Amino acid sequence: MDKTEALFVEVGHQMLQRDDWVTPWWNGRAFFDYPVWGYWMVALSFRLFGITPWAARLPVALAASLVVSASFFLLWSLAPAGELLRPRWMRAALGSGILATTPGWIGWARSSTTDMFLSSAIALALFSFLIAHHFPHRSRSAALARALMALFTGIAVLAKGPVGLLLPLLVVAVFLTLSRGWSRWRHLGDILAMATLWLGVVLPWYYAAAQANGEAFLGGFLAFSNVQRFTSVLYAHPGPPWFYLPWLLLLLLPWSIYLPLALARMGRFNPRDWRLLMRACQSVEPLTLFLVIWLVVVVGFFSAAATKLPGYILPAIPAGSLLVALGLRPYNALPAALGGLRLSGWFEVFLLALLSLAAAIAPRWAASDPAHPQFASALATSGLPNLLSALLALMAFALVGVLLGWPQRARWLPLPSLAGFLAILGLVVPPLASLIDRERQLPLRQLAAAAHTLARPDEPLWVVGTKRYSTVFYAGETAAFVADPQGIRDRRRDDPRSLGLGPSTRTVRLFGDRSDLEALRLPVVQIQRLERRGQQELWRVPINAFDPR
């Protein structure tokens, strides 16, 4: 928890400390990059369980787990009429298991940022739509699903703004158009009830924030964090139009190997021929059509945006996971499809072998990080790379056994990967996360705590070089982020308050990597080295050390 996550968590922390549940604050200033839902969840978790990294990450873990459970319920509920219990159960378990073992879902479920709150809310809203669309209009299930759809789209808007409503509506509108299903959603009373519930969820906070902050909120959040994020590159995160295609494959590994086969279930058609496209969509299973539209709309929408980050397409991961689950049904497949599955299976064997080799030599790669020179030896001593390598190799061998017994063993194709990645999730990920925290984050926490303890009156804290936002959270005070002497001199002249400088300031504390601190080229005789943890150091220098020489 060092950069984006630390910033996000500190806003929730400030919300609890200030007892201000309307205006987000970070580092002494109102912070309107994101709406309030995630901050509320973090603050509530802090209140219930204490201010710890575990409590900060609990809400996103619960949100991700809820979507996994809901995916099982969805596939169970939408099973073909008259289907036997065993294949119904296997399909539902496979879909939820694939989602639970994708690197994207695992990674963001352990990182307290707004991406998982948005993605989980969108997924639950679209799951609710599918249930409402599937069951008879006047049934209790459909009525409850419509209410849940309104609720979760409202939460999505509270999590990240208008995109939380725009994306689900785009997916639903395209689906209803291609499947010619608008007639089932023309009941004005139901639409008004959903709109009323949605407004009841969204409006109270947006109104209160606008009343409390006025133009600062409207301009900072709506104009900057939404419109400009889409139309221009912010925070130096550009990308080409195809930026998300490799990321989609990586975030879904190893299941993305089977995604082309799942998409092939749509059949062949010319997208320029509208009538042929409509006819093709009529013949596709509704759930498959919906998931394809969901995947394409999310990836296409964010590909059109100027600012690009991998986490933006996290809302597409549930769609991709369930598509793969529907495609991995070899016991119902034609011989040509069985051949494609087998070829994909051999490709996965090759990939698993490469990953096994990479895991075995991971400590050598870790040794190249100068900021954490002891991490490589700690990683090698833990035995975790060897355990990960062995599990990946076992998965590859088990998959070879399935493929050699093809097609009689075709139905067991997903089992080695599913069992293996669940084993990795239980045996490797928790101790590895603990090791990374101990070797990389604990020194930062200790140094930040020391910075707070050793502070003098009216002595600001400056973080030099890498923007370690976790410093604000762990030190429990505001900090200025600086890079070079000229930038510091310019800010001293133009805006000294941005550096925390007051009339009685005589010294400042400098926090950062030794290389970044030494790059400031300060007079050695004026440097007081207060603390050191690995390559991170804490200095005290007089403010006149930054005067031009």
Side-chain angles (χ1 to χ4, degrees):
M1 185 169 68
D2 198 34
K3 197 173 181 182
T4 304
E5 183 187 24
L7 185 153
F8 187 85
V9 167
E10 175 59 16
V11 176
H13 182 209
Q14 287 296 311
M15 190 163 279
L16 181 64
Q17 281 194 328
R18 294 170 177 266
D19 198 26
D20 182 351
W21 299 83
V22 173
T23 303
W25 289 85
W26 182 75
N27 206 22
R29 298 183 178 183
F31 183 77
F32 294 120
D33 272 29
Y34 308 110
V36 78
W37 179 261
Y39 307 142
W40 281 348
M41 295 299 101
V42 171
L44 180 60
S45 185
F46 281 160
R47 172 167 287 181
L48 294 175
F49 305 108
I51 301 172
T52 65
W54 176 86
R57 294 173 177 136
L58 178 62
V60 289
L62 292 177
S65 301
L66 180 59
V67 176
V68 171
S69 301
S71 66
F72 181 95
F73 174 78
L74 177 75
L75 293 179
W76 179 276
S77 301
L78 301 188
E83 185 177 43
L84 296 177
L85 183 63
R86 183 178 178 182
R88 187 179 191 180
W89 187 92
M90 288 179 64
R91 183 187 299 106
L94 179 61
S96 58
I98 288 175
L99 178 57
T101 54
T102 58
W105 211 248
I106 293 172
W108 268 273
R110 300 181 65 87
S111 178
S112 188
T113 63
T114 190
D115 298 297
M116 180 54 76
F117 289 115
L118 172 69
S119 303
S120 59
I122 287 177
L124 293 170
L126 293 176
F127 287 176
S128 300
F129 167 81
L130 284 168
I131 296 295
H133 192 72
H134 175 76
F135 285 98
H137 173 259
R138 293 301 176 189
S139 67
R140 292 183 179 179
S141 297
L144 177 60
R146 288 192 294 270
L148 290 175
M149 182 182 177
L151 172 66
F152 287 120
T153 50
I155 290 175
V157 173
L158 286 177
K160 208 164 184 176
V163 70
L165 176 65
L166 180 60
L167 280 179
L169 288 187
L170 279 175
V171 173
V172 168
V174 174
F175 171 74
L176 293 178
T177 299
L178 294 181
S179 64
R180 297 180 179 176
W182 282 104
S183 60
R184 303 187 63 177
W185 291 85
R186 289 178 179 172
H187 300 274
L188 183 59
D190 295 335
I191 301 301
L192 289 176
M194 293 175 66
T196 301
L197 176 57
W198 183 85
L199 290 171
V201 173
V202 171
L203 279 188
W205 177 76
Y206 276 90
Y207 177 79
Q211 286 290 104
N213 300 282
E215 184 62 29
F217 169 71
L218 297 174
F221 171 66
L222 294 176
F224 177 78
S225 294
N226 286 272
V227 177
Q228 288 191 37
R229 193 181 295 269
F230 191 88
T231 59
S232 57
V233 177
L234 298 184
Y235 307 122
H237 292 301
W242 46 264
F243 175 84
Y244 289 114
L245 294 182
W247 275 110
L248 180 65
L249 298 179
L250 288 172
L251 296 179
L252 279 170
L253 278 178
W255 307 106
S256 53
I257 293 172
Y258 302 97
L259 187 59
L261 287 175
L263 293 174
R265 292 167 61 87
M266 287 287 294
R268 296 181 180 180
F269 54 85
N270 184 355
R272 296 180 181 179
D273 190 331
W274 179 254
R275 294 181 180 179
L276 189 59
L277 174 63
M278 292 290 289
R279 265 199 308 271
C281 291
Q282 298 298 309
S283 63
V284 176
E285 182 185 19
L287 179 56
T288 300
L289 175 63
F290 185 85
L291 294 174
V292 170
I293 293 170
W294 179 349
L295 183 71
V296 170
V297 165
V298 172
V299 175
F301 178 85
F302 288 111
S303 295
T307 303
K308 292 181 172 66
L309 283 170
Y312 287 177
I313 61 164
L314 192 63
I317 299 304
S321 300
L322 298 190
L323 265 176
V324 171
L326 294 180
L328 287 173
R329 291 190 289 184
Y331 41 85
N332 289 336
L334 297 174
L338 283 173
L341 284 174
R342 190 182 189 190
L343 181 62
S344 298
W346 281 115
F347 188 79
E348 186 185 356
V349 170
F350 177 72
L351 175 65
L352 291 173
L354 286 180
L355 291 175
S356 177
L357 177 62
I361 63 176
R364 299 182 187 178
W365 293 341
S368 63
D369 185 357
H372 303 277
Q374 304 303 317
F375 178 66
S377 61
L379 183 61
T381 303
S382 71
L384 290 173
N386 292 334
L387 175 59
L388 177 58
S389 178
L391 288 172
L392 290 167
L394 283 174
M395 291 164 59
F397 281 118
L399 195 54
V400 168
V402 171
L403 295 171
L404 291 178
W406 202 268
Q408 289 78 11
R409 298 176 183 173
R411 68 179 60 200
W412 303 111
L413 181 64
L415 187 59
S417 299
L418 195 58
F421 279 97
L422 287 174
I424 291 172
L425 188 58
L427 299 177
V428 177
V429 172
L432 180 61
S434 178
L435 174 69
I436 293 173
D437 179 76
R438 183 177 70 249
E439 296 296 326
R440 299 174 71 96
Q441 291 302 124
L442 180 60
L444 294 175
R445 290 200 297 270
Q446 293 173 336
L447 204 60
H452 184 71
T453 302
L454 297 172
R456 292 175 177 174
D458 204 17
E459 182 182 55
L461 175 63
W462 294 357
V463 179
V464 181
T466 303
K467 293 183 178 180
R468 303 188 185 280
Y469 295 144
S470 59
T471 308
V472 177
F473 179 76
Y474 293 127
E477 61 178 291
T478 60
F481 296 88
V482 300
D484 58 84
Q486 185 58 51
I488 293 172
R489 286 193 287 271
D490 291 343
R491 289 172 67 179
R492 283 181 66 192
R493 181 188 67 244
D494 301 332
D495 187 12
R497 292 183 61 185
S498 71
L499 293 173
L501 299 175
S504 59
T505 297
R506 297 292 178 267
T507 58
V508 298
R509 291 160 294 153
L510 304 180
F511 183 110
D513 294 346
R514 179 198 292 182
S515 59
D516 291 326
L517 294 172
E518 292 177 344
L520 295 176
R521 300 183 180 278
L522 300 175
V524 176
V525 296
Q526 292 185 295
I527 299 172
Q528 182 183 358
R529 301 175 190 267
L530 301 177
E531 293 281 345
R532 177 182 177 182
R533 297 290 189 278
Q535 294 299 304
Q536 284 77 46
E537 296 188 3
L538 177 66
W539 293 1
R540 172 177 285 130
V541 298
I543 190 64
N544 60 19
F546 294 94
D547 292 342
R549 295 188 297 276

PDB file of all heavy atoms in Angstrom, residues 521-544:
ATOM      1  N   ARG A 521      21.703  17.296  -3.814  1.00  0.00           N
ATOM      2  CA  ARG A 521      23.021  17.939  -3.722  1.00  0.00           C
ATOM      3  C   ARG A 521      23.060  19.002  -2.621  1.00  0.00           C
ATOM      4  O   ARG A 521      23.471  20.155  -2.849  1.00  0.00           O
ATOM      5  CB  ARG A 521      23.434  18.541  -5.069  1.00  0.00           C
ATOM      6  CG  ARG A 521      23.537  17.499  -6.194  1.00  0.00           C
ATOM      7  CD  ARG A 521      24.017  18.131  -7.491  1.00  0.00           C
ATOM      8  NE  ARG A 521      24.118  17.153  -8.546  1.00  0.00           N
ATOM      9  CZ  ARG A 521      25.152  16.318  -8.739  1.00  0.00           C
ATOM     10  NH1 ARG A 521      26.178  16.382  -7.896  1.00  0.00           N
ATOM     11  NH2 ARG A 521      25.159  15.459  -9.735  1.00  0.00           N
ATOM     12  N   LEU A 522      22.633  18.606  -1.442  1.00  0.00           N
ATOM     13  CA  LEU A 522      22.657  19.523  -0.304  1.00  0.00           C
ATOM     14  C   LEU A 522      24.028  19.492   0.362  1.00  0.00           C
ATOM     15  O   LEU A 522      24.738  18.479   0.294  1.00  0.00           O
ATOM     16  CB  LEU A 522      21.578  19.124   0.709  1.00  0.00           C
ATOM     17  CG  LEU A 522      20.140  19.128   0.179  1.00  0.00           C
ATOM     18  CD1 LEU A 522      19.189  18.608   1.250  1.00  0.00           C
ATOM     19  CD2 LEU A 522      19.730  20.526  -0.264  1.00  0.00           C
ATOM     20  N   PRO A 523      24.432  20.586   1.006  1.00  0.00           N
ATOM     21  CA  PRO A 523      25.723  20.587   1.724  1.00  0.00           C
ATOM     22  C   PRO A 523      25.756  19.497   2.795  1.00  0.00           C
ATOM     23  O   PRO A 523      24.858  19.416   3.636  1.00  0.00           O
ATOM     24  CB  PRO A 523      25.779  21.985   2.345  1.00  0.00           C
ATOM     25  CG  PRO A 523      24.861  22.818   1.504  1.00  0.00           C
ATOM     26  CD  PRO A 523      23.769  21.902   1.058  1.00  0.00           C
ATOM     27  N   VAL A 524      26.780  18.651   2.759  1.00  0.00           N
ATOM     28  CA  VAL A 524      26.853  17.502   3.666  1.00  0.00           C
ATOM     29  C   VAL A 524      26.840  17.950   5.121  1.00  0.00           C
ATOM     30  O   VAL A 524      26.223  17.297   5.979  1.00  0.00           O
ATOM     31  CB  VAL A 524      28.120  16.678   3.359  1.00  0.00           C
ATOM     32  CG1 VAL A 524      28.275  15.533   4.362  1.00  0.00           C
ATOM     33  CG2 VAL A 524      28.065  16.128   1.941  1.00  0.00           C
ATOM     34  N   VAL A 525      27.478  19.061   5.418  1.00  0.00           N
ATOM     35  CA  VAL A 525      27.579  19.501   6.807  1.00  0.00           C
ATOM     36  C   VAL A 525      26.230  19.925   7.368  1.00  0.00           C
ATOM     37  O   VAL A 525      26.069  20.025   8.601  1.00  0.00           O
ATOM     38  CB  VAL A 525      28.585  20.665   6.935  1.00  0.00           C
ATOM     39  CG1 VAL A 525      29.991  20.207   6.572  1.00  0.00           C
ATOM     40  CG2 VAL A 525      28.166  21.841   6.051  1.00  0.00           C
ATOM     41  N   GLN A 526      25.247  20.180   6.498  1.00  0.00           N
ATOM     42  CA  GLN A 526      23.932  20.622   6.958  1.00  0.00           C
ATOM     43  C   GLN A 526      22.925  19.473   7.071  1.00  0.00           C
ATOM     44  O   GLN A 526      21.791  19.698   7.469  1.00  0.00           O
ATOM     45  CB  GLN A 526      23.377  21.692   6.007  1.00  0.00           C
ATOM     46  CG  GLN A 526      24.155  23.001   6.043  1.00  0.00           C
ATOM     47  CD  GLN A 526      23.514  24.065   5.182  1.00  0.00           C
ATOM     48  OE1 GLN A 526      23.460  23.928   3.968  1.00  0.00           O
ATOM     49  NE2 GLN A 526      23.027  25.123   5.812  1.00  0.00           N
ATOM     50  N   ILE A 527      23.351  18.271   6.728  1.00  0.00           N
ATOM     51  CA  ILE A 527      22.445  17.116   6.748  1.00  0.00           C
ATOM     52  C   ILE A 527      22.542  16.394   8.089  1.00  0.00           C
ATOM     53  O   ILE A 527      23.639  16.007   8.517  1.00  0.00           O
ATOM     54  CB  ILE A 527      22.781  16.138   5.605  1.00  0.00           C
ATOM     55  CG1 ILE A 527      22.615  16.815   4.245  1.00  0.00           C
ATOM     56  CG2 ILE A 527      21.904  14.879   5.698  1.00  0.00           C
ATOM     57  CD1 ILE A 527      23.108  15.959   3.091  1.00  0.00           C
ATOM     58  N   GLN A 528      21.405  16.206   8.729  1.00  0.00           N
ATOM     59  CA  GLN A 528      21.320  15.374   9.931  1.00  0.00           C
ATOM     60  C   GLN A 528      20.531  14.115   9.576  1.00  0.00           C
ATOM     61  O   GLN A 528      19.339  14.175   9.296  1.00  0.00           O
ATOM     62  CB  GLN A 528      20.619  16.129  11.061  1.00  0.00           C
ATOM     63  CG  GLN A 528      20.544  15.327  12.351  1.00  0.00           C
ATOM     64  CD  GLN A 528      19.788  16.055  13.450  1.00  0.00           C
ATOM     65  OE1 GLN A 528      19.345  17.192  13.259  1.00  0.00           O
ATOM     66  NE2 GLN A 528      19.639  15.407  14.594  1.00  0.00           N
ATOM     67  N   ARG A 529      21.214  12.972   9.556  1.00  0.00           N
ATOM     68  CA  ARG A 529      20.574  11.712   9.180  1.00  0.00           C
ATOM     69  C   ARG A 529      19.892  11.131  10.414  1.00  0.00           C
ATOM     70  O   ARG A 529      20.551  10.638  11.331  1.00  0.00           O
ATOM     71  CB  ARG A 529      21.602  10.742   8.610  1.00  0.00           C
ATOM     72  CG  ARG A 529      22.316  11.299   7.383  1.00  0.00           C
ATOM     73  CD  ARG A 529      23.424  10.376   6.876  1.00  0.00           C
ATOM     74  NE  ARG A 529      24.224  11.047   5.860  1.00  0.00           N
ATOM     75  CZ  ARG A 529      23.994  10.965   4.552  1.00  0.00           C
ATOM     76  NH1 ARG A 529      22.979  10.237   4.114  1.00  0.00           N
ATOM     77  NH2 ARG A 529      24.763  11.618   3.690  1.00  0.00           N
ATOM     78  N   LEU A 530      18.561  11.173  10.420  1.00  0.00           N
ATOM     79  CA  LEU A 530      17.800  10.783  11.600  1.00  0.00           C
ATOM     80  C   LEU A 530      17.557   9.273  11.688  1.00  0.00           C
ATOM     81  O   LEU A 530      17.723   8.668  12.744  1.00  0.00           O
ATOM     82  CB  LEU A 530      16.452  11.517  11.607  1.00  0.00           C
ATOM     83  CG  LEU A 530      16.504  13.040  11.611  1.00  0.00           C
ATOM     84  CD1 LEU A 530      15.088  13.615  11.537  1.00  0.00           C
ATOM     85  CD2 LEU A 530      17.223  13.556  12.861  1.00  0.00           C
ATOM     86  N   GLU A 531      17.111   8.675  10.590  1.00  0.00           N
ATOM     87  CA  GLU A 531      16.763   7.245  10.586  1.00  0.00           C
ATOM     88  C   GLU A 531      17.047   6.666   9.210  1.00  0.00           C
ATOM     89  O   GLU A 531      17.079   7.387   8.202  1.00  0.00           O
ATOM     90  CB  GLU A 531      15.281   7.031  10.920  1.00  0.00           C
ATOM     91  CG  GLU A 531      14.882   7.394  12.339  1.00  0.00           C
ATOM     92  CD  GLU A 531      15.265   6.319  13.352  1.00  0.00           C
ATOM     93  OE1 GLU A 531      15.572   5.181  12.931  1.00  0.00           O
ATOM     94  OE2 GLU A 531      15.254   6.616  14.564  1.00  0.00           O
ATOM     95  N   ARG A 532      17.214   5.330   9.186  1.00  0.00           N
ATOM     96  CA  ARG A 532      17.391   4.632   7.916  1.00  0.00           C
ATOM     97  C   ARG A 532      16.765   3.252   8.002  1.00  0.00           C
ATOM     98  O   ARG A 532      16.904   2.562   9.021  1.00  0.00           O
ATOM     99  CB  ARG A 532      18.878   4.500   7.573  1.00  0.00           C
ATOM    100  CG  ARG A 532      19.137   3.704   6.297  1.00  0.00           C
ATOM    101  CD  ARG A 532      20.611   3.553   6.016  1.00  0.00           C
ATOM    102  NE  ARG A 532      20.840   2.726   4.842  1.00  0.00           N
ATOM    103  CZ  ARG A 532      22.052   2.392   4.387  1.00  0.00           C
ATOM    104  NH1 ARG A 532      23.141   2.834   5.022  1.00  0.00           N
ATOM    105  NH2 ARG A 532      22.174   1.626   3.311  1.00  0.00           N
ATOM    106  N   ARG A 533      16.040   2.858   6.963  1.00  0.00           N
ATOM    107  CA  ARG A 533      15.484   1.511   6.827  1.00  0.00           C
ATOM    108  C   ARG A 533      15.764   1.045   5.407  1.00  0.00           C
ATOM    109  O   ARG A 533      15.113   1.504   4.466  1.00  0.00           O
ATOM    110  CB  ARG A 533      13.969   1.483   7.087  1.00  0.00           C
ATOM    111  CG  ARG A 533      13.559   1.872   8.484  1.00  0.00           C
ATOM    112  CD  ARG A 533      13.962   0.809   9.512  1.00  0.00           C
ATOM    113  NE  ARG A 533      13.387   1.086  10.822  1.00  0.00           N
ATOM    114  CZ  ARG A 533      13.906   1.941  11.699  1.00  0.00           C
ATOM    115  NH1 ARG A 533      15.010   2.603  11.385  1.00  0.00           N
ATOM    116  NH2 ARG A 533      13.313   2.135  12.864  1.00  0.00           N
ATOM    117  N   GLY A 534      16.745   0.157   5.243  1.00  0.00           N
ATOM    118  CA  GLY A 534      17.116  -0.268   3.907  1.00  0.00           C
ATOM    119  C   GLY A 534      17.683   0.896   3.120  1.00  0.00           C
ATOM    120  O   GLY A 534      18.616   1.571   3.562  1.00  0.00           O
ATOM    121  N   GLN A 535      17.109   1.159   1.950  1.00  0.00           N
ATOM    122  CA  GLN A 535      17.569   2.272   1.124  1.00  0.00           C
ATOM    123  C   GLN A 535      16.777   3.551   1.382  1.00  0.00           C
ATOM    124  O   GLN A 535      17.073   4.588   0.779  1.00  0.00           O
ATOM    125  CB  GLN A 535      17.449   1.896  -0.359  1.00  0.00           C
ATOM    126  CG  GLN A 535      18.378   0.772  -0.779  1.00  0.00           C
ATOM    127  CD  GLN A 535      19.844   1.128  -0.575  1.00  0.00           C
ATOM    128  OE1 GLN A 535      20.331   2.137  -1.090  1.00  0.00           O
ATOM    129  NE2 GLN A 535      20.561   0.305   0.171  1.00  0.00           N
ATOM    130  N   GLN A 536      15.787   3.491   2.268  1.00  0.00           N
ATOM    131  CA  GLN A 536      15.002   4.680   2.601  1.00  0.00           C
ATOM    132  C   GLN A 536      15.610   5.371   3.827  1.00  0.00           C
ATOM    133  O   GLN A 536      15.964   4.707   4.813  1.00  0.00           O
ATOM    134  CB  GLN A 536      13.540   4.321   2.891  1.00  0.00           C
ATOM    135  CG  GLN A 536      12.712   4.029   1.651  1.00  0.00           C
ATOM    136  CD  GLN A 536      12.982   2.658   1.085  1.00  0.00           C
ATOM    137  OE1 GLN A 536      13.030   1.690   1.842  1.00  0.00           O
ATOM    138  NE2 GLN A 536      13.160   2.562  -0.220  1.00  0.00           N
ATOM    139  N   GLU A 537      15.688   6.683   3.755  1.00  0.00           N
ATOM    140  CA  GLU A 537      16.298   7.440   4.847  1.00  0.00           C
ATOM    141  C   GLU A 537      15.428   8.639   5.211  1.00  0.00           C
ATOM    142  O   GLU A 537      14.602   9.101   4.419  1.00  0.00           O
ATOM    143  CB  GLU A 537      17.700   7.917   4.452  1.00  0.00           C
ATOM    144  CG  GLU A 537      18.679   6.774   4.219  1.00  0.00           C
ATOM    145  CD  GLU A 537      20.105   7.263   4.032  1.00  0.00           C
ATOM    146  OE1 GLU A 537      20.337   8.499   4.148  1.00  0.00           O
ATOM    147  OE2 GLU A 537      20.988   6.428   3.780  1.00  0.00           O
ATOM    148  N   LEU A 538      15.647   9.119   6.414  1.00  0.00           N
ATOM    149  CA  LEU A 538      14.976  10.308   6.931  1.00  0.00           C
ATOM    150  C   LEU A 538      16.045  11.303   7.336  1.00  0.00           C
ATOM    151  O   LEU A 538      16.898  11.004   8.187  1.00  0.00           O
ATOM    152  CB  LEU A 538      14.103   9.945   8.134  1.00  0.00           C
ATOM    153  CG  LEU A 538      13.383  11.101   8.839  1.00  0.00           C
ATOM    154  CD1 LEU A 538      12.340  11.720   7.914  1.00  0.00           C
ATOM    155  CD2 LEU A 538      12.729  10.613  10.135  1.00  0.00           C
ATOM    156  N   TRP A 539      16.023  12.473   6.734  1.00  0.00           N
ATOM    157  CA  TRP A 539      17.003  13.520   7.020  1.00  0.00           C
ATOM    158  C   TRP A 539      16.301  14.725   7.636  1.00  0.00           C
ATOM    159  O   TRP A 539      15.103  14.943   7.449  1.00  0.00           O
ATOM    160  CB  TRP A 539      17.699  13.998   5.737  1.00  0.00           C
ATOM    161  CG  TRP A 539      18.577  12.996   5.061  1.00  0.00           C
ATOM    162  CD1 TRP A 539      18.815  11.703   5.428  1.00  0.00           C
ATOM    163  CD2 TRP A 539      19.329  13.232   3.870  1.00  0.00           C
ATOM    164  NE1 TRP A 539      19.666  11.112   4.547  1.00  0.00           N
ATOM    165  CE2 TRP A 539      20.009  12.023   3.566  1.00  0.00           C
ATOM    166  CE3 TRP A 539      19.502  14.323   3.020  1.00  0.00           C
ATOM    167  CZ2 TRP A 539      20.843  11.890   2.468  1.00  0.00           C
ATOM    168  CZ3 TRP A 539      20.330  14.199   1.922  1.00  0.00           C
ATOM    169  CH2 TRP A 539      21.004  12.989   1.644  1.00  0.00           C
ATOM    170  N   ARG A 540      17.116  15.528   8.333  1.00  0.00           N
ATOM    171  CA  ARG A 540      16.692  16.871   8.749  1.00  0.00           C
ATOM    172  C   ARG A 540      17.715  17.861   8.218  1.00  0.00           C
ATOM    173  O   ARG A 540      18.930  17.662   8.383  1.00  0.00           O
ATOM    174  CB  ARG A 540      16.600  16.975  10.267  1.00  0.00           C
ATOM    175  CG  ARG A 540      16.342  18.416  10.748  1.00  0.00           C
ATOM    176  CD  ARG A 540      16.181  18.505  12.252  1.00  0.00           C
ATOM    177  NE  ARG A 540      14.877  17.996  12.666  1.00  0.00           N
ATOM    178  CZ  ARG A 540      14.678  17.102  13.633  1.00  0.00           C
ATOM    179  NH1 ARG A 540      15.722  16.594  14.283  1.00  0.00           N
ATOM    180  NH2 ARG A 540      13.467  16.696  13.933  1.00  0.00           N
ATOM    181  N   VAL A 541      17.229  18.898   7.558  1.00  0.00           N
ATOM    182  CA  VAL A 541      18.132  19.919   7.019  1.00  0.00           C
ATOM    183  C   VAL A 541      17.531  21.289   7.307  1.00  0.00           C
ATOM    184  O   VAL A 541      16.309  21.444   7.378  1.00  0.00           O
ATOM    185  CB  VAL A 541      18.349  19.753   5.492  1.00  0.00           C
ATOM    186  CG1 VAL A 541      19.008  18.422   5.179  1.00  0.00           C
ATOM    187  CG2 VAL A 541      17.048  19.911   4.737  1.00  0.00           C
ATOM    188  N   PRO A 542      18.381  22.302   7.475  1.00  0.00           N
ATOM    189  CA  PRO A 542      17.856  23.668   7.630  1.00  0.00           C
ATOM    190  C   PRO A 542      17.257  24.143   6.309  1.00  0.00           C
ATOM    191  O   PRO A 542      17.714  23.762   5.229  1.00  0.00           O
ATOM    192  CB  PRO A 542      19.084  24.487   8.025  1.00  0.00           C
ATOM    193  CG  PRO A 542      20.247  23.689   7.527  1.00  0.00           C
ATOM    194  CD  PRO A 542      19.844  22.250   7.611  1.00  0.00           C
ATOM    195  N   ILE A 543      16.258  24.980   6.402  1.00  0.00           N
ATOM    196  CA  ILE A 543      15.579  25.445   5.197  1.00  0.00           C
ATOM    197  C   ILE A 543      16.514  26.248   4.304  1.00  0.00           C
ATOM    198  O   ILE A 543      16.367  26.248   3.070  1.00  0.00           O
ATOM    199  CB  ILE A 543      14.325  26.282   5.580  1.00  0.00           C
ATOM    200  CG1 ILE A 543      13.472  26.550   4.327  1.00  0.00           C
ATOM    201  CG2 ILE A 543      14.731  27.568   6.260  1.00  0.00           C
ATOM    202  CD1 ILE A 543      12.899  25.313   3.702  1.00  0.00           C
ATOM    203  N   ASN A 544      17.533  26.874   4.899  1.00  0.00           N
ATOM    204  CA  ASN A 544      18.446  27.664   4.061  1.00  0.00           C
ATOM    205  C   ASN A 544      19.400  26.787   3.248  1.00  0.00           C
ATOM    206  O   ASN A 544      20.153  27.288   2.424  1.00  0.00           O
ATOM    207  CB  ASN A 544      19.234  28.666   4.908  1.00  0.00           C
ATOM    208  CG  ASN A 544      20.081  27.973   5.977  1.00  0.00           C
ATOM    209  OD1 ASN A 544      20.369  26.774   5.898  1.00  0.00           O
ATOM    210  ND2 ASN A 544      20.482  28.744   6.991  1.00  0.00           N
TER     211      ASN A 544
END
